[in-house]
Amino acid sequence: MAILGLVLTVALRRDPDGGEPIAVASIEKRSAPVSSAPATADPAAATPRGPATAAQLENSAGVTVVRVGEDAPEAIVITIPDTARTIKLATAPDNRLVERSRYGLLPKSGPEGATPAKIYARPLGPEPATKPVGRIAILVGGLGISQSGTADAIAKLPAPVSLAFAPYGAELERTVQRARSEGHEVFLQLPMEPFDYPDNDPGPHTLLTGPKAPDNLDKLHWALGRFTGYVGIVNFLGGRFTADESALSPVLRELAGRGLMVVDDGSSARSLLAGSADRARIPSLKIDRVIDGVTRADAIDKELAALENLSREQGIAVAAASALPVSIERINRWAQSLEAKKIAIVPVSAARDFRSPKSTGSISTGSIKTTGSLQ
């Protein structure tokens, strides 16, 4: 019976250590002993001991540090971005700067002087450690049509390079916001009538001269509603349209109330676009050079070199290019050489502020105001 009772007790308690020897010990709470050590301890004894030199630290961590000027065959270079100086563009759309229409959200001027041209522009960020001897702004257009070409431009071009999107692409809002998330400010390309229209047709929403001009405002609204977050507009073709003051005036009056910048792409010597926009009190800019008029690598490199010289002479030079693979590749390669030449790439929105009101050849002495934030 004693054995049976012992078995029942173990089963009911479900003690995994049942049957093991048991010992009982008492626990007493005592005060911590008073140290007899002197009040002032040896600082050397209190300091943790570790590698005394950088070399010892590298050896103990098992990491080899290759310094400037040293050979590092087959080395992997890891660049850690300075997140404190990363440029962040303002979120788009900003509810203060849009109005609803049959074609979607259209840009407009907001309260207290807020405009798309100011709010959506890429900030300049901190001043370079070394003062530039010249600044260059580049606007790459023709984006939004080819998905692969657009993706390459967004990923490969330096963030200060401004991008212009045609209104005919698919999923433009998502693509444009991806470009802006990578730091590129964006522009909208407006199709305008060329001299050889309709043989050269920029599309069904082309702004036209002559009897069809009254339809231009409706076409303009359609284009303006294709995506949000753009700083301004730039002409796409438009040799005939930009030379016709009567056709330009109604369009510019409409744009004046929407707080946008106007850029003349420099493709037509007869264009009145920048001058007419300026008279309409619209911030405007004209491109100095088109760098890929000849789409060969050597020709583009030659234009980029000329652009450098122009930036040194004028302080600021503004160029346009198309989103062709060869153009993107040459601009990307060329941009990597500019820091050593003390030339800075700036967004197109800032180029106008670097120009003196009296002469496009000198840098403005006034302060340059930009919006956005540094994260």
Side-chain angles (χ1 to χ4, degrees), residues 294-302 326 329-330:
V294 179
T295 56
R296 294 194 323 266
D298 62 326
I300 293 172
D301 290 345
K302 185 177 180 180
V326 64
E329 190 270 332
R330 299 320 296 175

Short mmCIF file of all heavy atoms in Angstrom, two decimals, residues 294-302 326 329-330:
data_model
loop_
_atom_site.label_atom_id
_atom_site.label_comp_id
_atom_site.label_asym_id
_atom_site.label_seq_id
_atom_site.Cartn_x
_atom_site.Cartn_y
_atom_site.Cartn_z
N VAL A 294 23.11 65.40 -82.53
CA VAL A 294 23.74 64.28 -83.25
C VAL A 294 23.89 63.15 -82.24
O VAL A 294 24.59 63.31 -81.23
CB VAL A 294 25.12 64.69 -83.82
CG1 VAL A 294 25.77 63.50 -84.53
CG2 VAL A 294 24.97 65.87 -84.77
N THR A 295 23.24 62.04 -82.51
CA THR A 295 23.14 60.98 -81.51
C THR A 295 24.29 59.97 -81.60
O THR A 295 24.07 58.76 -81.70
CB THR A 295 21.79 60.26 -81.63
OG1 THR A 295 21.64 59.76 -82.97
CG2 THR A 295 20.65 61.18 -81.29
N ARG A 296 25.51 60.49 -81.56
CA ARG A 296 26.70 59.65 -81.46
C ARG A 296 27.42 59.99 -80.16
O ARG A 296 27.41 61.15 -79.72
CB ARG A 296 27.65 59.89 -82.63
CG ARG A 296 27.16 59.47 -83.99
CD ARG A 296 28.33 59.42 -84.99
NE ARG A 296 29.30 60.48 -84.77
CZ ARG A 296 29.27 61.66 -85.41
NH1 ARG A 296 28.31 61.93 -86.27
NH2 ARG A 296 30.20 62.57 -85.16
N ALA A 297 28.06 58.99 -79.58
CA ALA A 297 28.72 59.19 -78.30
C ALA A 297 29.77 60.30 -78.38
O ALA A 297 29.85 61.16 -77.50
CB ALA A 297 29.35 57.89 -77.82
N ASP A 298 30.58 60.31 -79.44
CA ASP A 298 31.63 61.32 -79.54
C ASP A 298 31.06 62.72 -79.72
O ASP A 298 31.58 63.70 -79.16
CB ASP A 298 32.59 60.98 -80.69
CG ASP A 298 31.89 60.97 -82.05
OD1 ASP A 298 30.70 60.59 -82.11
OD2 ASP A 298 32.53 61.35 -83.05
N ALA A 299 29.94 62.83 -80.45
CA ALA A 299 29.31 64.14 -80.65
C ALA A 299 28.70 64.65 -79.34
O ALA A 299 28.80 65.85 -79.03
CB ALA A 299 28.24 64.05 -81.74
N ILE A 300 28.10 63.75 -78.58
CA ILE A 300 27.53 64.14 -77.30
C ILE A 300 28.63 64.56 -76.33
O ILE A 300 28.50 65.56 -75.61
CB ILE A 300 26.68 62.99 -76.72
CG1 ILE A 300 25.45 62.75 -77.60
CG2 ILE A 300 26.25 63.29 -75.28
CD1 ILE A 300 24.65 61.51 -77.24
N ASP A 301 29.71 63.81 -76.30
CA ASP A 301 30.83 64.17 -75.42
C ASP A 301 31.38 65.56 -75.77
O ASP A 301 31.75 66.33 -74.89
CB ASP A 301 31.95 63.14 -75.56
CG ASP A 301 31.57 61.79 -74.96
OD1 ASP A 301 30.58 61.74 -74.21
OD2 ASP A 301 32.27 60.80 -75.24
N LYS A 302 31.43 65.86 -77.06
CA LYS A 302 31.91 67.17 -77.49
C LYS A 302 30.98 68.28 -77.01
O LYS A 302 31.44 69.34 -76.56
CB LYS A 302 32.02 67.20 -79.02
CG LYS A 302 32.62 68.47 -79.58
CD LYS A 302 32.77 68.38 -81.10
CE LYS A 302 33.38 69.66 -81.67
NZ LYS A 302 33.54 69.58 -83.15
N VAL A 326 22.01 56.23 -75.54
CA VAL A 326 23.35 56.79 -75.67
C VAL A 326 23.47 58.10 -74.90
O VAL A 326 24.51 58.38 -74.29
CB VAL A 326 23.73 56.97 -77.15
CG1 VAL A 326 22.83 58.01 -77.84
CG2 VAL A 326 25.20 57.37 -77.28
N GLU A 329 23.67 57.29 -71.12
CA GLU A 329 24.96 56.68 -70.79
C GLU A 329 26.07 57.73 -70.77
O GLU A 329 26.91 57.75 -69.85
CB GLU A 329 25.28 55.59 -71.81
CG GLU A 329 26.47 54.71 -71.44
CD GLU A 329 27.79 55.25 -71.96
OE1 GLU A 329 27.78 55.94 -73.00
OE2 GLU A 329 28.84 54.99 -71.32
N ARG A 330 26.10 58.63 -71.75
CA ARG A 330 27.16 59.63 -71.82
C ARG A 330 27.01 60.68 -70.70
O ARG A 330 28.01 61.12 -70.12
CB ARG A 330 27.18 60.32 -73.18
CG ARG A 330 27.42 59.44 -74.39
CD ARG A 330 28.47 58.38 -74.17
NE ARG A 330 29.80 58.93 -73.94
CZ ARG A 330 30.85 58.18 -73.63
NH1 ARG A 330 30.70 56.86 -73.48
NH2 ARG A 330 32.04 58.73 -73.44
#
